[in-house]
């Protein structure tokens, strides 16, 4: 007898044979993914997932609501290219043992995180040349205000 729920999440941004891809994951897989994203993308907005619930987490109404909120989490990730194309999300989608695979990712240092962010934001600036100056300013402000403070706190 299974004492957990596997949620079917539809990923419309990923297609196979012109059909949306469905993934089947446990709540703990989503929880692990979000924790790893928070760890490896400090200072970056990571969408929330529904809270854990110990009692009543198998009730149909609760499972339906959680499924809706997990789909919303995936939708929000799909709108953030740096997270949608991240190693963490790719491993999450491909693995049957999400926690084991994600925990094998190496801890990134200050310089690695800074270079990753620089690459992500420089690429996003290049994609939208009509607002280049504005994007450069936004990126610069982000790097100065949020990222450096966050990275300094984990040094």
């Amino acid at each position: 007898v299974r004492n957990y729920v596997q949620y079917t999440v539809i990923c419309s941004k990923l297609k196979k044979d012109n059909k949306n891809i469905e993934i089947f994951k446990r709540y703990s897989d989503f929880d692990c993914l979000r924790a790893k994203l928070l760890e490896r993308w400090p200072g970056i907005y990571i969408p929330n997932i529904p809270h854990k619930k110990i009692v009543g987490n198998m009730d149909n109404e609760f499972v339906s609501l959680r499924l809706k909120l997990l789909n919303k989490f995936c939708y929000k990730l799909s709108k953030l290219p740096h997270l949608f194309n991240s190693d963490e999300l790719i491993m999450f989608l491909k693995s049957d043992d999400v926690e084991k695979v994600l925990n094998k990712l190496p801890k990134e240092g200050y310089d690695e995180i800074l270079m990753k962010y620089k690459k992500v934001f420089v690429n996003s600036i290049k994609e939208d040349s009509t607002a280049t100056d504005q994007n450069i300013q936004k990126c610069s402000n982000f790097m100065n205000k949020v990222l450096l403070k966050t990275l300094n706190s984990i040094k």
Side-chain angles (χ1 to χ4, degrees), residues 91-148:
M91 294 171 124
F92 168 83
L93 292 171
K94 291 183 177 183
S95 177
D96 290 330
D97 191 345
V98 171
E99 186 173 359
K100 182 179 178 182
V101 172
L102 289 179
N103 285 333
K104 286 184 179 179
L105 286 170
K107 188 148 180 99
E108 294 177 313
Y110 177 86
D111 292 334
E112 294 164 310
I113 293 171
L114 193 56
M115 290 308 296
K116 174 173 68 175
Y117 285 10
K118 185 177 179 181
K119 180 181 172 188
V120 165
F121 289 109
V122 166
N123 286 341
S124 69
I125 289 168
K126 287 178 182 175
E127 290 172 7
D128 184 8
S129 60
T130 59
T132 300
D133 291 338
Q134 187 179 13
N135 284 333
I136 289 171
Q137 188 60 46
K138 284 181 186 177
C139 182
S140 176
N141 289 343
F142 172 78
M143 293 292 221
N144 289 328
K145 290 180 183 173
V146 179
L147 180 59
L148 291 178

Side-chain angles (χ1 to χ4, degrees), residues 56-69:
N57 63 348
M58 303 294 271
D59 297 339
N60 287 336
E61 188 175 312
F62 176 77
V63 169
S64 295
L65 177 60
R66 184 180 265 180
L67 175 60
K68 180 180 175 183
L69 294 172

